[in-house]
Amino acid sequence: KSLFRFGLNLYLSSCRAIALPLSAKLGVKDKLRPKAQPISILETFYTVNCKNPKEGELISLAKQCDLPVRKVERWFRRRRNTDRPSLSKKFCEACWRFTFYIVSFFTGLAVLYNPLQPSLFWYYMLELSFYCSLVFTLPFDVKRKDFKEQIVHHAATIFLISFSYCANYIRIGTLVMVIHDASDCFLEPTKIFNYMKWKKTCDRLFMIFSAVFLISRLVIFPYTVLYNTYYYSMEIFQPFFGYYFVNTLLITLQLLHIFWSCLIIHMVYKFMLQGTV
């Protein structure tokens, strides 16, 4: 709990002191969005019921407010746009995550090379607190197409980190985290340059990210992790609870890797045809 609180304070202070001024200097400008007029009936419906009402609900709300349906529809559109995070906020989040992934990736490599107990403990706590924070903030983030897959991914990752440490599956747990952080180190700077409107740099980084993601998640992960935990371990040990539990989580992650790989391949295909991501 204290580690999570420390990370939250560090994130807020770094955004205010470093990332936000940096975004202004690099030319990241927020779009001017017209604000919705304060209408209590519509605001109550927006907060309590839903943010995107259906046609029948729009007609009912229009009658209650004595407004045309088109104006009510426009009010909800502007209200949703107000809740969307600004480019500067996205820039700060991407900078923070990029810093985290770089630190965690090289820390993981150091732990794999020399697994000292104190450094190993803090590395695990660093990763666990980060993914727990993602779970806490997920309901407040913008819901994307892979919202359900993100929930499954975060839950499987938290269980895997916790169980691998408690069951002394240290090497395999560290290797899994390092493999995952490798591609994310390229994803966040891709977002940063996208917010800065550096199109060519963004496109090149996206292609590098795609290659690292596909190789690490579809080649390295199954051949170095799944093979050893699923097949090779049976040459040494008999099946037990940890064997089934860990492999179930790892296979779940691999299925998610395949799902996201299909999306990335589709984006790469569109990039090759249209020349833009």
Side-chain angles (χ1 to χ4, degrees):
K1 184 178 180 181
S2 59
L3 185 62
F4 172 73
R5 188 180 301 165
F6 170 76
L8 180 61
N9 293 330
L10 181 63
Y11 166 69
L12 294 176
S13 60
S14 62
C15 287
R16 287 192 296 263
I18 301 175
L20 198 58
L22 183 63
S23 67
K25 289 185 177 181
L26 292 176
V28 179
K29 297 181 180 180
D30 296 331
K31 294 181 180 180
L32 295 177
R33 298 168 180 168
K35 295 183 178 180
Q37 297 178 354
I39 303 177
S40 58
I41 297 177
L42 300 181
E43 184 66 33
T44 302
F45 186 91
Y46 181 89
T47 306
V48 177
N49 294 345
C50 70
K51 299 180 180 180
N52 195 3
K54 298 179 180 179
E55 184 177 356
E57 294 171 329
L58 287 172
I59 296 174
S60 176
L61 290 170
K63 291 181 180 179
Q64 296 179 38
C65 300
D66 194 20
L67 293 171
V69 177
R70 188 174 295 275
K71 284 190 175 182
V72 175
E73 188 177 5
R74 186 186 305 124
W75 187 95
F76 276 95
R77 183 170 60 253
R78 290 182 175 179
R79 186 65 179 84
R80 288 192 300 268
N81 289 335
T82 305
D83 285 348
R84 292 176 58 188
S86 60
L87 279 181
S88 59
K89 184 177 180 181
K90 291 180 179 180
F91 180 89
C92 293
E93 182 185 7
C95 288
W96 164 250
R97 291 196 179 191
F98 173 64
T99 304
F100 169 81
Y101 287 129
I102 285 291
V103 172
S104 62
F105 175 71
F106 285 103
T107 304
L109 290 179
V111 169
L112 280 176
Y113 179 76
N114 187 15
L116 297 176
Q117 190 62 27
S119 60
L120 178 67
F121 171 79
W122 288 111
Y123 173 65
Y124 261 77
M125 289 300 102
L126 177 70
E127 291 278 357
L128 183 61
S129 59
F130 176 73
Y131 281 102
C132 287
S133 67
L134 292 183
V135 172
F136 293 145
T137 58
L138 197 60
F140 307 102
D141 292 339
V142 179
K143 288 190 176 181
R144 298 178 173 86
K145 294 180 180 180
D146 59 347
F147 179 76
K148 296 179 180 178
E149 289 78 10
Q150 288 280 0
I151 294 177
V152 176
H153 174 269
H154 296 340
T157 303
I158 291 173
F159 280 117
L160 187 61
I161 293 174
S162 304
F163 187 80
S164 65
Y165 186 83
C166 295
N168 203 26
Y169 290 175
I170 302 301
R171 298 286 291 178
I172 201 70
T174 304
L175 182 59
V176 170
M177 290 186 284
V178 168
I179 289 174
H180 281 73
D181 291 339
S183 59
D184 292 328
C185 291
F186 294 97
L187 175 62
E188 299 307 324
T190 303
K191 296 180 181 179
I192 292 174
F193 285 109
N194 181 41
Y195 303 145
M196 294 167 53
K197 307 300 182 183
W198 291 22
K199 182 179 177 300
K200 293 183 178 180
T201 307
C202 173
D203 293 342
R204 291 168 184 169
L205 279 175
F206 173 74
M207 297 304 293
I208 296 174
F209 158 74
S210 301
V212 174
F213 185 95
L214 296 175
I215 294 173
S216 61
R217 307 292 179 95
L218 298 184
V219 180
I220 298 177
F221 185 84
Y223 283 99
T224 60
V225 177
L226 285 178
Y227 176 79
N228 285 284
T229 58
Y230 193 81
Y231 292 106
Y232 182 69
S233 61
M234 286 298 93
E235 298 178 3
I236 305 173
F237 305 105
Q238 293 296 321
F240 58 105
F241 170 76
Y243 169 81
Y244 295 109
F245 186 71
V246 168
N247 280 291
T248 299
L249 295 176
L250 292 175
I251 291 174
T252 301
L253 289 180
Q254 184 58 29
L255 293 176
L256 292 172
H257 295 166
I258 296 173
F259 168 76
W260 280 312
S261 296
C262 292
L263 297 181
I264 292 173
I265 292 173
H266 179 67
M267 292 176 68
V268 171
Y269 177 73
K270 288 182 66 177
F271 172 74
M272 295 177 65
L273 291 180
Q274 302 175 5
T276 183
V277 178

